[in-house]
Amino acid sequence: MTTTNPDLSLSLRGEQSDVAVITLNRATKRNALNDGLILAIRDVFQNLPKSVRAAVIDGNGEHFCAGLDLSELSERDAGEGVLHSRMWHAALDCVEKGPVPVVAALHGAVVGGGLELASACHIRVADESTFYALPEGTRGIFVGGGGSVRVPKLIGAARMADMMFTGRVYNAVDGERIGLAQYLVPTGTALDKAIELATRIATNAPLTNYALVHALPRIAEQPSDHGLFTEALMASIAQSAPEAKARVRAFLEGKAAKVSKG
């Protein structure tokens, strides 16, 4: 399957076509983001096929995404700049707060807007070629695609400030250590691992996945008493679903696998 934008492609994996692989296809530009590509990402996540229960975002070529395409950066007044940034926010919200969990398959450059895109995903798999940077600080600009909200949740505000103050670049090993990725795999295998994880995620009860995408981040930001009440509501709703009841019954009847040491 292809999208209406040649810089973005969508393919379906699995017997049930339940995993969508969304690929950035601007390899000659190191998959740098422009407005057209951002809007294409928005459109893809707003119109995923009904069969899809998990998604993967990958970058074609040697890099995941090298950030904003500065060659297409236009001058804007303050009001236009706010509206432009808010357009990016709305588009990446479709990734973070969309219908399904999203796994990022990272390799090469995960820089600037590329890190903003990766941080909008729910799980990040990095191969050993991956490196991370936020060069906006040294270029006289500021992140505008949600990075100041999402990246500190992964690594803390001080580490993000250091990256922008000094131009610090994290390699794959250190990036995984500080929380920019949850998985570190050999070079060239990030996509395979991401698809493996997405395939596993797609077998979960849809309501549980929905709760993890939409309820868990909100609970984490609520005061503890509010969060506990939200948790109680979500737990009650999830366990009342027919699929949840069937899964618990299968476990009690010895038909479901028990947790084992990995």
Side-chain angles (χ1 to χ4, degrees), residues 116-243:
E116 293 184 295
L117 173 59
S119 68
C121 299
H122 305 101
I123 295 177
R124 284 156 294 280
V125 179
D127 81 10
E128 292 171 342
S129 73
T130 304
F131 60 95
Y132 309 88
L134 291 169
E136 289 87 347
T138 60
R139 291 175 181 155
I141 57 178
F142 194 76
V143 290
S148 63
V149 171
R150 295 189 179 101
V151 175
K153 291 178 181 178
L154 300 178
I155 64 173
R159 280 199 172 104
M160 178 175 174
D162 176 37
M163 292 175 75
M164 293 190 68
F165 279 138
T166 68
R168 182 173 184 172
V169 177
Y170 280 96
N171 62 27
V173 173
D174 289 338
E176 190 266 344
R177 174 180 58 81
I178 67 172
L180 288 170
Q182 287 75 49
Y183 295 85
L184 180 60
V185 296
T187 298
T189 66
L191 179 58
D192 289 341
K193 181 65 176 179
I195 292 173
E196 174 195 324
L197 293 171
T199 301
R200 187 184 311 167
I201 291 167
T203 67
N204 293 341
L207 191 54
T208 298
N209 279 347
Y210 187 86
L212 291 170
V213 169
H214 292 274
L216 181 60
R218 289 173 168 85
I219 291 170
E221 294 184 352
Q222 291 176 335
S224 59
D225 59 333
H226 294 194
L228 290 170
F229 186 72
T230 305
E231 176 188 89
L233 293 175
M234 196 66 249
S236 177
I237 293 168
Q239 70 186 23
S240 69
E243 183 170 346

Side-chain angles (χ1 to χ4, degrees), residues 35-91:
D35 287 354
L37 186 50
I38 283 291
L39 292 173
I41 292 170
R42 178 201 66 185
D43 293 345
V44 161
F45 278 93
Q46 287 181 335
N47 298 283
L48 284 174
K50 297 296 185 183
S51 63
V52 172
R53 295 175 68 164
V56 172
I57 297 181
D58 180 42
N60 191 17
E62 297 180 2
H63 302 281
F64 173 74
C65 177
L68 176 66
D69 189 343
L70 293 177
S71 69
E72 298 187 25
L73 186 64
S74 58
E75 292 187 8
R76 300 180 180 90
D77 63 28
E80 291 169 337
V82 168
L83 294 177
H84 183 257
S85 178
R86 295 297 286 159
M87 180 271 285
W88 276 55
H89 293 165

